Amino acid sequence: MLRCPAERDRFRREALDVRAGEFLLGVYGHLRETKRIGSVLAALRALRRDGLSARLLVAGAFASDDYARTMAPRLQSSDGVIVRGNTGEAEFRSLLSAADVCVNLKYPGVGESSGIAVRAMALGVPLVVSEGADPGAFPAGTVIPIPVGPAEVPALVQTLHWLAGNPQVRLGIARDARADCMSRRDPGRICAELWQWLEGIHHSASV
């Protein structure tokens, strides 16, 4: 984990070759079709055509050999893309902390929770998600939703342009997301609620 802006800037420069002022997007975790990497690549190309100095970090392992054969060459041949495979926990946290925005699209999905999303929120990294993804986990203002379907790429491009040009907005979203995450997912609070639940079961069983 990168604990201060200077440490983060040094990691971006030395480990990722990201220059000062470049806008770094990140896609993390198990790489599968549902993460919409093709759409993220299309958005990256559009941002760079528009003159934005944008890069994309893809960190994780492919979920299948078939998808690796399809997507790995596209990533490797795309301008502005940095690819990292499986890493240890400490490096993964540094890679996640290094991004200006975590793009965690998921479609189609079944409403499941995302560990990557929770970790990004806890680290204070602004999060872009697909509309309808785990709605109970994301109070208004803590993530930026992107519509699925034909509007996905244009909406993603517009949203990323907006975020790139408004660092204070990114900071505000990240601050609110981290505060919500720390409040609702605090280990002490979770343990207390679990204990109360178990006590309730024990009481019901003994009546």
Side-chain angles (χ1 to χ4, degrees):
M1 177 179 175
L2 308 178
R3 299 184 182 280
C4 67
E7 186 178 349
R8 177 176 179 270
D9 291 344
R10 183 168 59 253
F11 180 85
R12 283 164 57 109
R13 182 177 64 253
E14 296 178 358
L16 302 175
D17 195 29
V18 173
R19 299 187 301 272
E22 287 190 313
F23 184 58
L24 182 62
L25 313 175
V27 173
Y28 303 90
H30 294 294
L31 308 178
R32 58 184 85 245
E33 291 88 342
T34 55
K35 292 189 81 72
R36 315 298 295 163
I37 298 173
S39 294
V40 181
L41 279 176
L44 176 70
R45 287 194 297 269
L47 294 173
R48 290 170 67 90
R49 281 198 307 268
D50 291 343
L52 182 64
S53 184
R55 304 282 299 279
L56 170 63
L57 169 64
V58 180
F62 286 99
S64 71
D65 291 339
D66 286 342
Y67 192 50
R69 283 191 290 270
T70 299
M71 186 55 64
R74 292 181 61 186
L75 291 173
Q76 293 163 0
S77 63
S78 296
D79 291 337
V81 176
I82 306 161
V83 178
R84 291 287 188 272
N86 274 333
T87 65
E89 177 63 22
E91 184 179 0
F92 185 83
R93 287 170 65 87
S94 293
L95 292 171
L96 182 51
S97 300
D100 293 301
V101 173
C102 174
V103 182
N104 195 53
L105 303 182
K106 186 179 291 186
Y107 181 80
V110 293
E112 68 272 37
S113 297
S114 168
I116 296 296
V118 172
R119 294 172 76 176
M121 294 171 73
L123 290 170
V125 181
L127 186 65
V128 173
V129 301
S130 297
E131 277 186 350
D134 194 11
F138 305 130
T142 60
V143 300
I144 304 97
I146 299 296
V148 299
E152 182 181 61
V153 173
L156 184 58
V157 173
Q158 184 179 21
T159 296
L160 293 173
H161 264 302
W162 173 63
L163 291 171
N166 292 277
Q168 292 304 314
V169 170
R170 299 201 306 269
L171 287 173
I173 293 169
R175 181 189 61 243
D176 291 348
R178 189 172 191 278
D180 176 78
C181 189
M182 294 297 98
S183 171
R184 296 199 294 152
R185 296 180 173 86
D186 175 73
R189 176 177 177 177
I190 292 172
C191 287
E193 291 177 351
L194 179 59
W195 183 255
Q196 290 177 353
W197 179 71
L198 291 171
E199 283 188 323
I201 291 178
H202 175 73
H203 178 72
S204 298
S206 62
V207 172

